[in-house]
Amino acid sequence: AQTVTQSQPEMSVQEAETVTLSCTYDTSESDYYLFWYKQPPSRQMILVIRQEAYKQQNATENRFSVNFQKAAKSFSLKISDSQLGDAAMYFCAYRSALDDKIIFGKGTRLHILP
Amino acid sequence: DSGVTQTPKHLITATGQRVTLRCSPRSGDLSVYWYQQSLDQGLQFLIQYYNGEERAKGNILERFSAQQFPDLHSELNLSSLELGDSALYFCASRAGVDTGELFFGEGSRLTVL
């Protein structure tokens, strides 16, 4: 069964600095999708960024980018120029292209220090 | 606004009771997922439906059941409630088969006293 591991329960970063959140996953499949979701204090889950495993190019969305290392099964999220509004719980998620399960890691709580 | 509607937003009940949580997916989305998020925990996948049929099952207790109706709305039924069932229950619908992106509702917060 696939698993998603986020090894950093909490992280802090100074406003305007860059922070990287780690995510590793375990799968025997070659085709899948990876996601980062943000959950602010409002508890609403919001998609931050998405990566298809067959694409070698790392996805980017404005200040958010990923470092996708397929062989290492690693999918880290880099937030540049951190802003106070980035403070949230961040979840890494995996979806196989073969079945419909979408599983999440336990999350990393990110604090932004003014 | 994600387009996914969940009701009720908050629910307080007693142990041993039964509740039903309702979810209306985004227009056009055929897949509905249910997740449980306990205090400061990740999202535990419960169950997924696609166009009225159960497609995938996760860590769903036997006391819990779900279904998806012909109009594509879904209900999660929780029975014989225990204190540990207190959690935020999320429904999400999926945009399509190619990306797998989930659109989440605002969640139903269940408190069992």
Side-chain angles (χ1 to χ4, degrees), chain A:
Chain A
Q2 297 92 355
T3 58
V4 177
T5 302
Q6 293 180 249
S7 59
Q8 306 149 316
E10 286 195 63
M11 292 191 71
S12 296
V13 64
Q14 209 73 34
E15 193 176 4
E17 295 296 309
T18 295
V19 64
T20 299
L21 309 184
S22 301
C23 172
T24 58
Y25 56 94
D26 187 24
T27 184
S28 58
E29 297 167 350
S30 59
D31 197 14
Y32 46 86
Y33 305 95
L34 296 165
F35 308 88
W36 279 98
Y37 281 86
K38 169 184 177 180
Q39 187 180 41
S42 67
R43 307 294 272 184
Q44 175 75 53
M45 295 286 289
I46 303 164
L47 178 70
V48 174
I49 200 164
R50 168 180 61 229
Q51 174 83 41
E52 291 89 345
Y54 64 85
K55 290 186 178 179
Q56 291 186 334
Q57 186 173 7
N58 289 324
T60 62
E61 286 287 343
N62 301 313
R63 298 182 295 107
F64 298 86
S65 62
V66 298
N67 183 5
F68 173 47
Q69 302 287 331
K70 192 171 183 179
K73 298 178 184 175
S74 171
F75 182 61
S76 60
L77 174 69
K78 185 171 85 170
I79 306 174
S80 303
D81 185 25
S82 297
Q83 300 175 1
L84 294 177
D86 295 333
M89 196 77 166
Y90 286 82
F91 292 98
C92 179
Y94 170 100
R95 180 192 167 232
S96 164
L98 298 178
D99 64 36
D100 286 346
K101 278 186 184 180
I102 300 177
I103 59 173
F104 286 77
K106 290 191 180 300
T108 296
R109 185 174 299 282
L110 179 64
H111 302 277
I112 310 295
L113 306 174

Side-chain angles (χ1 to χ4, degrees), chain B residues 27-102:
Chain B
S27 177
D29 287 355
L30 300 178
S31 277
V32 169
Y33 291 72
W34 286 98
Y35 289 87
Q36 179 193 55
Q37 185 179 31
S38 300
L39 188 63
D40 288 333
Q41 294 294 310
L43 279 77
Q44 293 293 318
F45 170 65
L46 296 179
I47 198 163
Q48 183 235 346
Y49 282 84
Y50 179 83
N51 202 20
E53 293 189 3
E54 182 183 306
R55 180 64 67 92
K57 212 167 189 176
N59 302 320
I60 188 167
L61 300 173
E62 286 191 10
R63 300 183 287 108
F64 297 179
S65 64
Q67 55 184 326
Q68 186 179 27
F69 295 86
D71 67 353
L72 301 179
H73 92 271
S74 178
E75 292 181 357
L76 179 66
N77 301 297
L78 315 175
S79 61
S80 302
L81 286 168
E82 302 175 359
L83 295 177
D85 297 328
S86 295
L88 190 57
Y89 291 85
F90 281 107
C91 167
S93 69
R94 206 174 84 209
V97 297
D98 54 340
T99 66
E101 175 184 348
L102 291 176

